[in-house]
Amino acid sequence: MSTPYPFTAVVGQTDLRLALLLNAVSPAVGGVLVRGEKGTAKSTAVRALSALLPQVDVVPGCRFSCAPAAPDPGCPDGPHESGPGGARPARMVELPVGASEDRLVGALDIERALAEGVKAFEPGLLADAHRGILYVDEVNLLHDHLIDLLLDAAAMGASYVEREGVSVRHAARFLLVGTMNPEEGELRPQLLDRFGLTVEVAASREPAQRVEVVRRRLSYEDDPAGFAARWSGDESEVRARVVAARALLPQVRLGDNALLQIAATCAGFEVDGMRADIVMARTATALAAWAGRTAVLKEDVRQAALLALPHRRRRNPFDAPGLDEDKLDEILDRFPDEEPENDPDPEPDPGTDPEPGPDGGPENPQGPDDDGGGPDGGGGVPPQGGGPQDAQPPADPAEAPAEAPADSPEAPRQPSAQEAGGPEQAAVRADEPFRTRMLSVPGLGEGAAGRRSRARTAHGRTTGAQRPRGQLTKLHLAATVHAAAPHQKARGRTGRGLVVRKDDLRQATREGREGNLVLFVVDASGSMAARQRMSAVKGAVLSLLLDAYQRRDKVGLVTFRGAAAELALPPTSSVDTAAARLEKLPTGGRTPLASGLLKAHEVLRIERLRDPSRRPLLVVVTDGRATSAGAVGGDPRELTTRSARLLAAEGVASVVVDCESGPVRLGLAGALAADLGGPAVTLDGLRADSLAGLVKDVRTAVTTSASHTTRRAA
C-alpha cells in the first residue's frame, strides 16, 4: 500500500483544510464540495483527511460497520450479540464516476432469491462508507441515477435495495465529500444543496508558495515514507485536536444572539429553504469547538456563512457562486456578541499558520495534484491569508513578448474592412432568458441518460424483455416466469415453488430519455448586428443553454462572421462557460454561413469518434443570409445549400431559429431548414408559452378546412 501524502504538508488552501477539519469534528455539518481548477490539491487533501479521523468501533465480522454499543436492528448481518467490539481506521471510500448502480448500493442475487427465497446480498460502496467518508471525484459528471441514490441515502441515513419484491436495508451515514472542475459543468441544485459546505480553490500566483509546493512534492516522490515520517508529529497534533474538539462539541453553547445572526444572514441573502440555517448553526458550533471555546461568537457565524451560503445562492447555472462580505458584515453588526462565561483560552485561529514544518517551509498545506502528481500551482490562499487576487506578480514590460512587425511571417494577417464586410461592433447584452419549447432528436437512441430525446436507458418505463447481456440488473418477472414455466415437469418440480435456472432469467428493456450534444451555430455577422435583434438572439440562445443544462446535454458553440467561422466553445458540459462566451460575442462583418455549417460538420465528426453513442442536435441561429463564401470561394448561396445537404445526408438532426425581423421577410432561414431536413422556428415561436397559441392555430385551421370540405360536398 502506498504512503499517502500528509494532510498537514499541503501548502496553502486554508479554507479547504478548515472545511474538511470542521466535518471531521462534526460530521453533522454535512460534507464539503470543493470547486476549482485542475492541479490544486483537491483530491490530495480529501484523501489525506481519513488519516486524521479517530478509529471506529465495529462489531467483529459485520460487513456494515455496526457500532457495538448501538448495532443497527435491521442490519442484514444481524442480529448482533452484545459483546466487545473491534476498532479499525475510518474508511475513505471513493465512488468512481462510471460506477454501476449495483456497485454503489450493492447487488442482490435474484436467481437465489426467486428459487430459494434467500437474501444473498453483496454490500456496495454505501455500506463500505458507513461511519466514514464517501468521496466522489468529478462529482458533477456523475450519472443522474447515481445522484438520485446518493440523495436518498444522504437524506435517510440508510440504503434500500429492492428488486421484484425482495428488499434489503442497511444503515448508510457518511461524510459526503465531492470535488469538481466547474469548467466541466455544474451540479444539479438538489445535490448542490446536500453538501453542507463549499470551498473555491485556485492555484497560488505567489512564486514563493509555488516553489514550496514543488519542493515538498519532489521530496515526497523521492521518499514517501521518510517524507510522511517528518510530518508525523504535525499529523498527531491535528489528530489530537480533532479528538479534543469532538469531546468539547456537546458543551458548546449556541446562544440566542448567534441564532439571530444566523437567521438574519440567511434571510438577508434570500437563501431558499431552512437547510442553510441548520448547516450554519452546526458549522458555527464546530468552529467554536475547534477553537477550544464553549460559546459561539460572531466570527464563527461569519466564517460559517462564508462556507455554507455561496453555493446556496445560485438561482441558475449562469450565476457565479459567492457572497458579498460587506453585506454580511452589515447584517452581523446588528447583533452584538454575548459575553462569554468562563470560556477557556481559545486555541489559535484555524485560519492562521502554525510553526514552520519539517521541510523548512510554511505549514500552510498544499500537495500533489489530483492525479497523483504535483499540482500546477500552490494553494489558493497565501500564507498571510490573502487570495490569488492579492498575490499577482507585478507585470514586467521587459518580460512581455515583443509584438511581431506587421509584415513579418509570424504576424497573422488581419482581414481588411472590405473583406470583413464592415467594422466590428461591441458586444451587446442578452435579453432575459425564457422557457423554451422542447427540441429533440427523432428516433430512439442509446446515449447517456438525460432528459431530452427518447432512448433505451437503465431507468424508465418497461417496454419489453431480453436475455441479459452480462450481469442481470433489472429483472422482468413475467418474462422470466414465462420462460421457466414450460420446463417445470422436466426439471422434476414437485412442490409449489417454481424451479428457475439461469437461462430463464430475462432482463427488462426500458425506455427513458437521453442527453444530447447540442451544437449552436450562431450568426454574428453585420446583418444580425442591430442592437435589438442581437440582444434578442443572445437571449434566445441563453434560454436554449439553460434548457440544455436542465436536460443534461453537452453543448458547443460555433460562431461565424467576417471571412470565417470559429469554434468559440468545444463541446462541454459547462453551459455557464458557453453563456460567458456568448455574452462577449462581438458582431459585424459579412455572413459566411457555409463556413459555419462546415465548421459544425467538422466538430460533429470529431465528437462522433469521441462519444459515438451521444446523438447531436444542431441549432442554427441565423436570418439565412449568405454573403460570403469564406476561404472556400464560389457562390455563397450555392455553397450554403451544399453544406446544409451534407449535414442532412449524414442524418444530423437540425433546427433553424429564424432571426429575420421586419415586415418584409425573404424566407431564407426556412429554405436553409429545408436543406438541413429540419424545422424552422421563429424567435417568438421558440417560447414554450407560445405553444398553446400554435395548437389553437392548428386546430382552427383543421376545423376551417373540414367545414369548407363539408360545404363543398353538400
Side-chain angles (χ1 to χ4, degrees):
M1 180 178 178
S2 61
T3 304
Y5 195 94
F7 184 87
T8 52
V10 178
V11 179
Q13 308 295 24
T14 305
D15 287 344
L16 170 58
R17 290 183 296 139
L18 178 60
L20 292 172
L21 289 171
L22 291 177
N23 276 273
V25 171
S26 175
V29 167
V32 186
L33 174 64
V34 187
R35 298 163 46 92
E37 59 196 24
K38 55 186 177 296
T40 48
K42 300 188 297 292
S43 297
T44 297
V46 173
R47 293 188 177 105
L49 176 66
S50 59
L52 302 179
L53 299 181
Q55 288 194 328
V56 179
D57 293 329
V58 295
V59 174
C62 178
R63 298 174 297 168
F64 301 89
S65 301
C66 283
D72 181 10
C75 176
D77 285 353
H80 299 300
E81 298 180 0
S82 59
R88 62 162 176 80
R91 289 175 181 160
M92 206 277 299
V93 178
E94 293 194 44
L95 172 61
V97 171
S100 65
E101 179 180 338
D102 285 345
R103 185 70 188 98
L104 178 62
V105 301
L108 190 65
D109 192 329
I110 300 296
E111 185 178 359
R112 291 189 63 191
L114 288 177
E116 305 173 27
V118 176
K119 293 182 180 179
F121 180 70
E122 184 66 28
L125 296 177
L126 290 179
D128 293 341
H130 179 46
R131 304 176 67 198
I133 303 172
L134 181 61
Y135 170 48
V136 189
D137 193 12
E138 306 293 351
V139 63
N140 50 325
L141 304 181
L142 202 63
H143 287 282
D144 274 1
H145 68 285
L146 296 182
I147 289 178
D148 293 336
L149 293 171
L150 273 181
L151 289 175
D152 291 341
M156 297 183 294
S159 174
Y160 291 85
V161 182
E162 299 188 11
R163 301 279 175 83
E164 306 299 339
V166 181
S167 177
V168 175
R169 173 211 167 273
H170 65 83
R173 291 182 295 276
F174 46 82
L175 170 60
L176 181 61
V177 181
T179 56
M180 60 174 283
N181 185 345
E183 294 178 355
E184 297 173 338
E186 288 293 343
L187 280 177
R188 288 169 52 184
Q190 297 94 326
L191 184 58
L192 195 62
D193 191 47
R194 287 294 177 187
F195 286 98
L197 310 178
T198 186
V199 178
E200 295 279 343
V201 297
S204 173
R205 301 299 185 260
E206 178 60 42
Q209 198 171 57
R210 296 176 76 99
V211 166
E212 185 61 27
V213 171
V214 176
R215 179 183 291 119
R216 294 190 188 183
R217 178 58 188 176
L218 294 179
S219 178
Y220 170 75
E221 289 181 347
D222 290 341
D223 183 11
F227 182 84
R230 292 195 296 274
W231 289 90
S232 60
D234 299 89
E235 293 280 290
S236 298
E237 289 180 10
V238 174
R239 190 180 300 110
R241 189 173 174 186
V242 169
V243 173
R246 280 192 174 189
L248 183 62
L249 187 64
Q251 305 173 36
V252 176
R253 180 173 57 86
L254 186 65
D256 291 342
N257 255 24
L259 285 172
L260 282 172
Q261 291 169 355
I262 291 169
T265 301
C266 293
F269 284 103
E270 300 180 354
V271 178
D272 294 334
M274 294 299 299
R275 184 174 283 116
D277 302 62
I278 297 171
V279 170
M280 274 190 65
R282 290 171 174 166
T283 304
T285 304
L287 279 163
W290 177 250
R293 288 186 267 100
T294 57
V296 174
L297 304 181
K298 184 191 300 183
E299 63 194 65
D300 300 323
V301 176
R302 186 182 192 280
Q303 183 65 60
L306 294 175
L307 293 173
L309 296 188
H311 62 299
R312 292 186 165 89
R313 297 193 62 246
R314 291 172 64 95
R315 293 294 184 266
N316 63 62
F318 309 138
D319 293 338
L323 212 63
D324 185 344
E325 296 193 31
D326 292 336
K327 181 178 179 181
L328 174 61
D329 291 333
E330 180 184 342
I331 294 173
L332 294 179
D333 286 343
R334 303 173 193 165
F335 306 92
D337 272 333
E338 297 175 350
E339 291 295 329
E341 299 176 2
N342 300 324
D343 214 26
D345 292 335
E347 295 287 340
D349 191 310
T352 61
D353 291 327
E355 295 299 322
D359 284 13
E363 181 79 5
N364 271 7
Q366 166 73 320
D369 69 355
D370 303 335
D371 298 321
D376 296 337
V381 183
Q384 289 75 21
Q389 65 274 16
D390 301 321
Q392 295 290 344
D396 187 355
E399 294 180 0
E403 294 184 4
D407 56 351
S408 69
E410 291 79 13
R413 189 181 72 86
Q414 298 297 326
S416 64
Q418 289 76 14
E419 290 174 312
E424 179 178 302
Q425 301 184 23
V428 297
R429 295 186 60 85
D431 286 350
E432 286 297 317
F434 51 84
R435 192 165 64 91
T436 65
R437 59 184 291 186
M438 176 65 171
L439 304 176
S440 62
V441 179
L444 193 64
E446 295 183 350
R451 296 185 175 182
R452 184 171 296 277
S453 306
R454 293 175 54 230
R456 298 184 184 91
T457 60
H459 300 269
R461 63 185 183 90
T462 301
T463 58
Q466 64 181 11
R467 291 182 180 274
R469 302 172 184 174
Q471 186 178 10
L472 178 69
T473 55
K474 297 291 183 182
L475 179 75
H476 195 295
L477 183 59
T480 299
V481 172
H482 187 270
H487 308 291
Q488 296 305 296
K489 185 175 181 181
R491 294 174 182 174
R493 172 187 170 187
T494 56
R496 299 179 60 185
L498 191 68
V499 181
V500 180
R501 295 181 178 173
K502 189 171 184 178
D503 291 343
D504 302 327
L505 299 178
R506 295 294 182 269
Q507 175 88 20
T509 58
R510 302 189 176 219
E511 182 179 312
R513 295 279 175 177
E514 67 176 359
N516 298 111
L517 166 59
V518 183
L519 182 61
F520 294 94
V521 181
V522 180
D523 186 348
S525 64
S527 63
M528 299 281 290
R531 289 188 76 87
Q532 187 174 2
R533 182 192 291 191
M534 201 60 199
S535 295
V537 168
K538 285 188 176 183
V541 178
L542 201 63
S543 304
L544 290 168
L545 284 172
L546 183 59
D547 181 68
Y549 164 78
Q550 294 169 341
R551 299 188 187 280
R552 314 291 181 263
D553 295 319
K554 289 178 68 175
V555 296
L557 178 62
V558 172
T559 64
F560 58 93
R561 58 178 292 273
E566 175 191 6
L567 179 59
L569 180 70
T572 176
S573 298
S574 179
V575 296
D576 52 342
T577 303
R581 301 284 174 88
L582 178 72
E583 191 70 23
K584 299 176 182 177
L585 179 66
T587 57
R590 304 184 71 181
T591 312
L593 179 54
S595 297
L597 297 177
L598 291 175
K599 174 62 73 172
H601 178 269
E602 177 186 352
V603 172
L604 294 178
R605 178 182 61 81
I606 295 173
E607 284 300 308
R608 194 177 297 117
L609 298 175
R610 292 175 177 170
D611 191 358
S613 63
R614 189 181 290 269
R615 296 188 296 164
L617 174 62
L618 185 66
V619 180
V620 185
V621 185
T622 181
D623 56 9
R625 290 180 172 86
T627 60
S628 171
V632 180
D635 186 330
R637 292 187 180 181
E638 180 183 351
L639 186 59
T640 298
T641 300
R642 289 165 52 193
S643 302
R645 290 176 180 175
L646 173 64
L647 288 163
E650 296 188 358
V652 177
S654 305
V655 59
V656 176
V657 179
D658 185 359
C659 302
E660 193 173 26
S661 59
V664 179
R665 294 177 178 268
L666 302 178
L668 298 177
L672 174 63
D675 290 332
L676 287 169
V681 57
T682 63
L683 288 175
D684 290 337
L686 193 61
R687 295 177 179 270
D689 52 16
S690 68
L691 290 180
L694 292 175
V695 171
K696 289 181 180 179
D697 293 342
V698 171
R699 287 179 175 174
T700 302
V702 171
T703 304
T704 304
S705 176
S707 176
H708 289 169
T709 303
T710 303
R711 289 176 182 175
R712 284 197 299 269

